[in-house]
Amino acid sequence: MPRTVLTPPAGGAPMPDIPNWAWHEYGNRVGLWRMLDVLDHFQIRAVLAINGSAITRYEPIARAAHDRGWEFIGHGFTQQSMQKVADERDDIRRTASAIAAFTGRPPRGWLCPGLTETWETPDLLVEEGFDYVCDWVLDDRPVWLKTRTGPIVNLPYTQECNDVAMMLIQHHKASEYYDRAIDQFDQLYADSAQSARIMALVVHPYIMGAPHRLRYFRDALARIREHSNVLFWTGEEILDWFLTQ
C-alpha cells in the first residue's frame, strides 16, 4: 500500500485504504503517460527506479520505459522500508533478477525505497554485482563509498528537487517545482565552470503527472534545454563517464 498522505477522517488505519491507493494508481493509469509525452518531446531517456514486483504487475509501464531505452534501477522488490525486509540480500537478488529477466541485463544502480538503507546495504549491493547507489544525498558529484569487499559509487540524488518533499511534505504550490529546479540549476551551472556537476530531478507519476502540476515539470526541462554544455544522461552514463576520470 502507498504512503498515507490523505489521513482517514475518523483516524485509525483503514484497510483497504481506497483514497491513498487510488491516488497512486492514478499515476500509473494516467499521470505516467502524460510525463512520457513530455520526455519524448525533449528526447530525454529517464531512469526508472522500480520495484521488482511492479515489472509484471505494471507491464505496460515497464514496456514503455524499455522501448524508449530508459535505464532500470533496483528499488526493492516491493515498496517498503528495507529495514523491515526479512532477508535484504534475497530482496536485492529478486529485484535484480526481475529487472534482468525483463530488460535482458542486470541493473547497475540501486535506490532504496525512501532511502531506507540498513547497516549492510552498500556491502550487499557490491556483493550482488551493483555498480552504483543513489541513497547518499551528500554531494553534487559522484563519490566513492567503501564497503567490506570493495568500493561502490554513489551518484547524486536529491531530496530538494523531489516532488514528494515539495508537494506532499512541505505542501507547496505546483509552481514551486519549477522555481526550485531552476534556482538549483542556475547555481549548479555556475559551479560547473570549475568541474562538472550532476543535477537530479525526481518525479512520481501520481504527483507531477497530475494535470495542474505537469506544466511545471515540462517548463523546467524546457528552460534547462536552452543552455549549452548540458547533458541529459542516465545514471549508468554518468557512472561510465565518472569511471574514466
Side-chain angles (χ1 to χ4, degrees), residues 4 10 18 27 29 32 38 44 52 84 101 107 116 121 133 139 147 149 163-165 182 191 200 211 230 236 239:
T4 304
I18 300 301
R29 295 171 60 88
L32 183 279
V38 171
I44 294 173
K84 296 182 179 179
T116 55
T121 303
V133 64
D139 208 304
T147 77
T149 57
D163 55 359
V164 169
I182 298 309
D191 294 345
V230 173
E236 62 181 350
L239 174 72

Side-chain angles (χ1 to χ4, degrees), residues 81-203:
S81 168
M82 294 303 291
Q83 297 164 8
K84 296 182 179 179
V85 172
D87 186 334
E88 186 177 12
R89 186 187 296 274
D90 180 66
D91 191 274
I92 292 171
R93 284 180 176 174
R94 292 172 69 197
T95 303
S97 294
I99 292 175
F102 185 79
T103 66
R105 61 191 185 98
R108 300 178 69 188
W110 181 271
L111 175 74
C112 282
L115 312 183
T116 55
E117 288 196 1
T118 72
W119 295 109
E120 286 192 298
T121 303
D123 302 316
L124 295 174
L125 290 174
V126 170
E127 292 164 11
E128 296 303 319
F130 283 83
D131 297 319
Y132 75 88
V133 64
C134 305
D135 297 329
W136 298 73
V137 187
L138 44 69
D139 208 304
D140 296 321
R141 292 179 286 193
V143 297
W144 287 102
L145 302 179
K146 295 178 181 179
T147 77
R148 62 194 174 198
T149 57
I152 188 170
V153 175
N154 182 80
L155 292 186
Y157 186 67
T158 180
Q159 299 184 78
E160 296 283 1
C161 291
N162 186 318
D163 55 359
V164 169
M166 274 188 265
M167 303 302 152
L168 304 191
I169 299 174
Q170 299 167 350
H171 305 295
H172 286 291
K173 291 177 57 178
S175 57
E176 173 71 10
Y177 195 88
Y178 173 86
D179 293 340
R180 192 179 300 188
I182 298 309
D183 288 345
Q184 181 101 336
F185 172 78
D186 287 345
Q187 183 59 54
L188 290 175
Y189 191 77
D191 294 345
S192 69
Q194 304 301 320
S195 63
R197 296 294 191 274
I198 311 300
M199 176 175 169
L201 284 172
V202 178
V203 288

Side-chain angles (χ1 to χ4, degrees), residues 1 12 17 35 42 73 98 109 123 209 211 242:
M1 294 298 290
D17 185 357
M35 294 172 63
F42 291 109
I73 65 173
D123 302 316
F242 174 68

Side-chain angles (χ1 to χ4, degrees), residues 174-175 177-178 208 212-221:
S175 57
Y177 195 88
Y178 173 86
M208 293 311 293
H212 65 287
R213 294 195 186 102
L214 184 74
R215 60 171 291 189
Y216 299 106
F217 175 58
R218 180 180 61 243
D219 291 350
L221 293 178

